[in-house]
């Protein structure tokens, strides 16, 4: 049986403690959505089927906006007020997920589009359910070839924020457009929206203009056909969860979607040259929204988004509509974020993870006027390696770096006891971590060991000096197959104002053991937007590693991230066994937790061996906020975070 809260025994000596700041009124173990602790990316496939904020149990239209459970919901909710949310990630002003949006952009996307009008979102417990606000009827047919056809009839009262009707074509467009080869030429970083649908490969590669797994059946009816290669599938209902995209905004009006009975395709007006300018402009300046809020303004100078209530929004899966009139996201830096909260520069700080800020926040709560919620992270911080450039293309180098960094001390220093070291691709909040406690405990911990680092390098052929003689001291070199000598120089791209980067400089790049081992790590500091452009290959570069962090969505299916040659494989790792384990991970029947867990363990074991990423920590997040915000204590574990709960909150005058 799934367990949603991590066993405290896994925290070991770094067990979470509240230090001497008094008892907390609402001691819930909550979970996060997709937001940063420092500078981080959203490292999940940008597929709206997998958004953490999708929620939908059965229910009627909740027009009176009732509030969820909580022991701090005194007072009567009223519409109005303003909330300034401080985020630590600089916006890319890339609204849509496929255009390398980061954590701040993801918040805005989720509040203005994203999960709320998904056909099959997830509820508070992370279970996929039909969204009654969106879907009038759904049918599932098993086909002779092993595929499944899922047909949706939409509610006919869905509207964009500009008053136009949301139709089946808008839902189909989202899948079709972001599966085309053209969208990469237009400027997107990913085109895998329909990855698990029949006919995707031929359509995605441009071998067929028709996407056979996507059917447009009427103004308010469409069907998605699941590729039999993806069945059975642990997250089966999530495959056919999709959200609408405003077609008139993305492409010129003469572009249309047709279906002659064999699948959907774009008409001849759909070309890169014809679509590119409008699509790029719309990715940064959308004009129609389907979520609880609309983007009222984006100020690039101050890096703030201002969002207002969407008057056309029907409500989330419960019919819940927002109370807070205005939401503003504002970038803050870790050094001053708590001061900004205390002085009213921001009203809310999301997913705080550094010890100094947490302790200062707890002191502010104790003094009065502020509240907080804490919850284990559904993600982790890490160093990510580029596995086809320079020294990090060799696994021995990646392992040597692991042995050169005291990750236990790193996690203790950074989180201050509000987190722990991880050893593969998982976060504390995942139910699998507790269920596979023994297997996780048996992973290689890569405890700091200079001798082990040197042994890895020697085994990998880093045994020469710059002149090709036997290595004795200084910088190591390796003779490549073409006879050239490669220096053991790691080029590290890191974002500015990043406390994780600062700690890595001290403990790794400038560490005496790194030099003793014969390695040098050269840091280049850049904006987070520049880092993401480099990571996603939008700029020519030869960086070997970056430090980032990620939060998972409900679905943990890493197939696209480790597909050999895939656009979502930002590590550029080309290991056939890892790719197969990632592909197979979720290929078990829905509800078969035991089978899924076994495959999850096998994937984590291979990941731990190859280290495409070096995990640093997974932590206990803290959200701090002004006491004027009411109703926030309804946060749920697993998948229910700020972008969900904020609809149930109000501002007390």
């Amino acid at each position: 049986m799934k367990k949603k809260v991590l066993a405290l025994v896994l925290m070991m000596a770094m067990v979470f403690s509240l230090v001497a700041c008094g008892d907390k009124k609402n001691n819930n173990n909550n979970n996060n959505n997709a937001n940063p602790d420092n500078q981080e990316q959203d490292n999940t496939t940008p597929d709206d089927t997998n958004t953490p904020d999708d929620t939908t149990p059965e229910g009627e239209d909740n027009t009176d906006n009732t509030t969820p459970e909580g022991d701090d919901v005194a007072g009567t909710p009223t519409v109005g007020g303003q909330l300034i949310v401080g985020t630590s990630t600089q916006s890319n002003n890339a609204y849509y997920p496929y255009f390398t949006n980061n954590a701040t952009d993801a918040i805005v996307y989720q509040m203005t589009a994203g999960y709320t009008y998904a056909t099959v979102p997830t509820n508070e417990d992370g279970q996929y359910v039909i969204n009654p606000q969106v879907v009038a009827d759904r049918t599932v047919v098993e086909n002779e070839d092993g595929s499944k056809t899922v047909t949706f009839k939409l509610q006919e009262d869905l509207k964009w924020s500009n008053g136009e009707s949301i139709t089946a074509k808008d839902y189909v467009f989202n899948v079709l457009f972001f599966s085309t080869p053209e969208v990469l030429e237009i400027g997107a970083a990913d085109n895998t929206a329909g990855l698990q649908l029949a006919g995707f490969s031929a359509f995605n590669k441009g071998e067929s203009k028709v996407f056979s797994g996507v059917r447009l059946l009427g103004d308010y009816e469409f069907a998605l056909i699941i590729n039999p290669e993806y069945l059975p599938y642990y997250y089966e209902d999530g495959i056919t969860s999709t959200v609408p995209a405003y077609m008139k905004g993305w492409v010129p009006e003469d572009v249309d979607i047709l279906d002659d009975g064999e699948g959907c395709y774009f008409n001849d007006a759909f070309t890169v040259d014809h679509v590119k300018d409008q699509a790029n402009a719309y990715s940064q300046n959308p004009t129609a929204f389907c979520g609880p809020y609309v983007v009222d303004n984006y100020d690039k100078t101050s890096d703030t988004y201002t969002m207002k209530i969407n008057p056309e929004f029907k409500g989330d899966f419960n019919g819940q509509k927002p109370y807070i009139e205005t939401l503003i996201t504002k970038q803050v830096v870790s050094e001053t974020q708590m001061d900004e909260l205390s002085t009213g520069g921001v009203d809310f700080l999301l997913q705080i993870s550094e010890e100094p800020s947490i302790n200062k926040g707890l002191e502010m709560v104790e003094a009065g006027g502020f509240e907080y919620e804490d919850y284990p992270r559904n993600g982790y911080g890490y160093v990510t390696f580029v596995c086809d450039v320079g020294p990090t293309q060799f696994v021995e180098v990646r392992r040597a770096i692991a042995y050169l960094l005291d990750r236990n001390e790193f996690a203790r220093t950074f989180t201050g006891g509000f987190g722990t070291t991880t050893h593969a691709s998982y976060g504390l909040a995942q139910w699998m971590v507790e269920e596979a406690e023994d297997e996780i405990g048996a992973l290689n911990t890569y405890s700091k060991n200079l001798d082990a680092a040197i042994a890895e390098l020697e085994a990998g052929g880093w045994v020469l000096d710059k002149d090709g003689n036997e290595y004795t001291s200084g910088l190591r070199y390796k003779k490549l197959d073409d006879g050239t000598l490669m220096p053991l120089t790691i080029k590290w791209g890191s974002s500015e104002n990043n406390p994780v980067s600062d700690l890595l400089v001290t403990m790794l790049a400038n560490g005496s053991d790194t030099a003793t081992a014969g390695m040098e790590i050269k840091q280049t500091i850049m904006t987070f937007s520049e880092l993401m452009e480099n990571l996603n290959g939008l700029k020519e570069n030869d960086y070997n590693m970056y430090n980032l962090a990620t939060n998972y969505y409900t679905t943990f299916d890493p197939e696209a991230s480790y597909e050999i040659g895939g656009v979502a494989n930002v590590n550029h790792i080309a290991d056939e066994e890892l790719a197969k384990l990632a592909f197979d991970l979720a290929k078990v029947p829905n509800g078969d937790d035991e089978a899924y867990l076994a495959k999850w363990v096998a994937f984590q074991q291979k990941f731990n061996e190859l280290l495409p990423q070096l995990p640093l920590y997974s932590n206990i997040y803290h959200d701090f906020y002004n006491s004027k915000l009411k109703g926030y204590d309804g946060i749920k574990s697993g998948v229910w975070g700020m972008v969900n709960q904020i609809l149930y909150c109000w501002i007390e005058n």
Side-chain angles (χ1 to χ4, degrees):
M1 181 177 181
K2 293 183 184 179
K3 299 177 183 177
K4 303 296 182 182
V5 181
L6 175 70
L8 293 181
V9 67
L10 289 181
M11 306 291 267
M12 296 177 287
M14 302 177 65
V15 63
F16 158 58
S17 62
L18 290 180
V19 285
C21 289
D23 292 333
K24 178 175 178 293
K25 286 192 291 185
N26 307 312
N27 191 17
N28 300 327
N29 277 331
N30 304 319
N31 234 334
N32 57 295
N33 292 327
N35 231 344
D37 55 345
N38 38 81
Q39 307 285 345
E40 72 177 48
Q41 66 169 338
D42 176 357
N43 194 42
T44 50
T45 302
D47 175 350
D48 294 303
T49 69
N50 298 340
T51 54
D53 322 288
D54 296 349
T55 24
T56 104
E58 299 177 12
E60 314 180 305
D61 185 43
N62 204 9
T63 54
D64 65 348
N65 284 12
T66 56
T67 60
E69 289 185 1
D71 51 11
D72 188 26
V73 291
T76 302
T78 57
V79 176
Q82 171 182 286
L83 189 75
I84 303 175
V85 178
T87 66
S88 60
T89 303
Q90 179 187 22
S91 168
N92 283 343
N93 190 24
Y95 168 77
Y96 221 73
Y98 297 92
F99 283 78
T100 65
N101 73 343
N102 61 32
T104 297
D105 301 312
I107 292 173
V108 177
Y109 172 74
Q110 291 159 6
M111 295 307 303
T112 58
Y115 70 96
T116 40
Y117 274 1
T119 50
V120 192
T122 53
N123 63 17
E124 299 96 324
D125 297 319
Q127 303 301 310
Y128 283 103
V129 287
I130 308 303
N131 189 343
Q133 304 299 323
V134 170
V135 178
D137 185 52
R138 184 187 78 150
T139 59
V140 180
V141 175
E142 296 186 11
N143 303 313
E144 291 184 1
D145 64 356
S147 66
K148 285 187 179 181
T149 300
V150 182
T151 302
F152 294 98
K153 290 184 178 179
L154 299 175
Q155 302 284 4
E156 298 185 15
D157 59 349
L158 299 173
K159 294 185 181 297
W160 293 105
S161 57
N162 60 11
E164 295 180 18
S165 293
I166 297 175
T167 68
K169 189 171 286 188
D170 294 308
Y171 280 86
V172 165
F173 174 78
N174 188 55
V175 180
L176 200 67
F177 182 59
F178 290 104
S179 296
T180 62
E182 287 85 356
V183 78
L184 295 181
E185 297 182 60
I186 288 168
D190 190 282
N191 67 338
T192 57
L195 175 68
Q196 295 157 321
L197 301 179
F200 169 80
S201 180
F203 182 76
N204 182 254
K205 294 176 181 177
E207 297 170 355
S208 172
K209 66 178 293 185
V210 177
F211 196 158
S212 61
V214 183
R215 301 297 315 281
L216 182 62
L217 304 176
D219 289 343
Y220 295 96
E221 187 173 1
F222 70 97
L224 301 175
I225 304 170
I226 302 174
N227 187 334
E229 292 182 6
Y230 286 90
L231 293 172
Y233 189 64
Y234 190 67
Y235 303 103
E236 181 178 319
D237 286 338
I239 293 178
T240 57
S241 180
T242 186
V243 300
Y246 186 56
M247 183 171 169
K248 292 181 181 178
W250 282 102
V251 295
E253 290 191 9
D254 59 343
V255 174
D256 198 8
I257 295 174
L258 306 174
D259 187 337
D260 301 329
E262 301 298 325
C264 290
Y265 63 95
F266 285 111
N267 65 1
D268 292 340
F270 182 77
T271 66
V272 172
D273 290 341
H274 187 49
V275 169
K276 184 175 184 178
D277 289 344
Q278 182 169 330
N280 273 315
Y282 194 78
S283 73
Q284 298 187 9
N285 187 30
T287 58
F289 307 90
C290 62
Y293 288 88
V294 303
V295 175
D296 185 61
N297 181 60
Y298 172 71
D299 188 325
K300 187 173 184 178
T301 302
S302 62
D303 197 28
T304 57
Y305 282 98
T306 300
M307 295 172 279
K308 300 282 189 179
I309 287 178
N310 177 3
E312 299 292 350
F313 180 60
K314 285 178 62 178
D316 70 355
F317 67 96
N318 281 327
Q320 179 72 40
K321 299 178 182 179
Y323 296 114
I324 301 172
E325 179 67 32
T326 304
L327 287 179
I328 298 173
T329 64
K330 174 184 177 181
Q331 186 187 12
V332 295
V333 296
S334 59
E335 292 83 359
T336 59
Q337 60 188 356
M338 302 313 300
D339 293 332
E340 290 240 36
L341 180 62
S342 66
T343 59
V346 296
D347 305 308
F348 188 106
L349 291 174
L350 182 66
Q351 298 177 348
I352 302 303
S353 56
E354 311 100 297
E355 177 196 11
S357 294
I358 291 173
N359 285 334
K360 186 170 183 177
L362 294 174
E363 292 172 359
M364 290 166 55
V365 171
E366 181 72 8
F370 299 93
E371 303 290 341
Y372 80 99
E373 300 296 326
D374 56 22
Y375 44 91
R377 182 177 188 162
N378 191 27
Y380 67 115
Y382 56 91
V383 169
T384 193
F385 298 115
V386 182
C387 300
D388 66 346
V389 174
T392 54
Q393 67 185 282
F394 303 104
V395 67
E396 295 89 356
V397 173
R398 303 196 296 268
R399 292 181 189 138
I401 293 173
Y403 282 121
L404 290 170
L405 176 63
D406 189 340
R407 293 185 304 121
N408 285 333
E409 179 63 16
F410 185 99
R412 187 199 65 78
T413 301
F414 180 69
T415 70
F418 298 98
T420 190
T421 309
T422 56
H423 307 296
S425 182
Y426 59 85
L428 294 182
Q430 292 180 295
W431 66 269
M432 300 84 80
V433 177
E434 182 174 8
E435 293 290 344
E437 179 181 347
D438 292 341
E439 292 86 349
I440 291 297
L443 294 175
N444 188 346
T445 63
Y446 293 98
S447 297
K448 190 173 189 301
N449 188 324
L450 176 60
D451 291 339
I454 292 173
E456 287 285 354
L457 294 174
E458 290 177 344
W462 298 89
V463 294
L464 303 176
D465 64 15
K466 64 183 178 61
D467 298 316
N469 299 318
E470 183 179 352
Y471 175 81
T472 57
S473 64
L475 189 65
R476 290 179 180 270
Y477 286 75
K478 174 185 175 72
K479 180 176 285 189
L480 303 180
D481 292 342
D482 63 3
T484 60
L485 294 176
M486 176 181 286
L488 189 51
T489 299
I490 310 300
K491 297 181 179 180
W492 167 31
S494 71
S495 54
E496 58 192 1
N497 301 317
N498 189 332
V500 169
S501 299
D502 296 341
L503 197 54
L504 285 171
V505 168
T506 301
M507 298 185 65
L508 179 63
N510 292 345
S512 60
D513 281 356
T514 300
T516 301
M519 179 186 297
E520 66 176 353
I521 299 177
K522 293 185 175 181
Q523 180 190 30
T524 299
I525 299 175
M526 59 192 73
T527 68
F528 188 69
S529 296
E530 290 171 333
L531 186 152
M532 292 301 293
E533 290 175 351
N534 281 298
L535 177 70
N536 286 287
L538 302 180
K539 287 185 175 182
E540 290 189 14
N541 69 84
D542 58 353
Y543 292 113
N544 309 126
M545 77 178 206
Y546 306 87
N547 57 291
L548 291 159
T550 194
N551 290 333
Y552 300 118
Y553 292 147
T554 303
T555 300
F556 184 82
D557 181 1
E559 177 202 344
S561 296
Y562 300 101
E563 178 189 4
I564 296 175
V567 295
N569 184 350
V570 295
N571 295 104
H572 300 284
I573 189 167
D575 186 87
E576 292 185 1
E577 185 178 353
L578 182 68
K580 187 176 189 307
L581 288 168
F583 179 86
D584 287 342
L585 196 157
K587 308 304 186 293
V588 299
N590 179 259
D592 192 342
D593 298 347
E594 185 176 350
Y596 177 83
L597 183 64
K599 292 189 174 187
W600 181 87
V601 167
F603 169 78
Q604 300 296 350
Q605 289 169 337
K606 192 64 180 179
F607 185 101
N608 176 260
E609 174 190 336
L610 296 178
L611 290 185
Q613 297 169 359
L614 176 61
L616 298 176
Y617 59 88
S618 186
N619 43 321
I620 302 295
Y621 271 148
H622 288 66
D623 294 351
F624 291 98
Y625 54 93
N626 190 299
S627 296
K628 71 178 184 180
L629 178 68
K630 302 298 179 183
Y632 192 67
D633 63 324
I635 291 289
K636 305 290 185 181
S637 65
V639 294
W640 189 263
M642 187 274 286
V643 293
N644 309 90
Q645 186 62 25
I646 206 69
L647 297 188
Y648 298 82
C649 297
W650 66 97
I651 303 298
E652 184 176 72
N653 296 324

